[in-house]
Amino acid sequence: MRRSRFIVRHHRAAALPAPLASGHQYYWISSPALGRNSLHYLLHHDAATVDAREHTFLVLSVQSILRGVAKVHAADYCHLGLSPRSFFYEQASTITDWLLSGFYQAYVLGQNDGHPLYLDVYSAPELIVASVVSDDHQDVMLLCHRFRAQFEMDAWSVGCILYQLLTGEPLFKDIMQLRVLCGMDPATSTDLQNHLDKAFQHPALNDFPPVTQKLLNVDPQLRIPVSHILREWVEVHSLAEYQ
């Protein structure tokens, strides 16, 4: 974190002796998060604490996920690393109150310099086509060095997360499938659009408003902002008292 009069003496801010070259000087100390309390763990393991297919659980979880990302955007930050590994709950009684973490790739809106982004199957297509394969890992790893941070990139990632949460299935099987589907230009890729059209026909999505379709648009400019999706979700499910 950069030096700020708001956190310089905060009990959760640990200061380095001097600012780094980037201007950052503080670590923010958060509550410990257990791997088994992550959304990723819940989606890949049978959980005794909750039925992940139960309608109320899904409705409240979607609201919580959207609310967390909307708050980040309201502060003019882009997360740029959203995935089910980014969300944790504290205890079983608050399992639908998802806490957003993993801000190590976060950028200020419009920022286009700094560290490269490590991409995965939840990354936006416009980042995927601008990426290069890293030689530093045994597994296939895509890095994106040239980009400008935009809310629409997070919107796509949220769409992928919500699709997996609502259907129980990932939208893409791996990052190389996504890269091939994107082609040279995701906005004109018929392969990517056909893949999405087929995915949107999943019967589990019939029980919910078309939020994934509004977030997962191949054209970034046509993706509906997360805050608007949150507002629609709250209205449709009468969740104003839970905001």
Side-chain angles (χ1 to χ4, degrees), residues 77-152:
Y77 276 89
C78 305
H79 189 284
L80 301 183
L82 291 169
S83 79
R85 297 181 187 274
S86 307
F87 294 91
F88 292 81
Y89 66 90
E90 288 187 311
Q91 53 192 0
S93 60
T94 58
I95 196 170
T96 57
D97 293 333
W98 293 101
L99 306 177
L100 180 54
S101 65
F103 289 92
Y104 53 90
Q105 296 200 145
Y107 273 78
V108 175
L109 177 65
Q111 184 180 355
N112 63 349
D113 59 348
H115 55 76
L117 298 181
Y118 288 85
L119 307 184
D120 56 26
V121 293
Y122 304 94
S123 300
E126 57 270 26
L127 294 173
I128 295 293
V129 296
S131 67
V132 296
V133 178
S134 171
D135 297 328
D136 297 332
H137 300 80
Q138 293 181 346
D139 298 327
V140 175
M141 179 70 69
L142 298 185
L143 291 177
C144 186
H145 297 267
R146 301 181 61 183
F147 62 93
R148 183 179 295 274
Q150 300 294 332
F151 293 151
E152 292 83 2

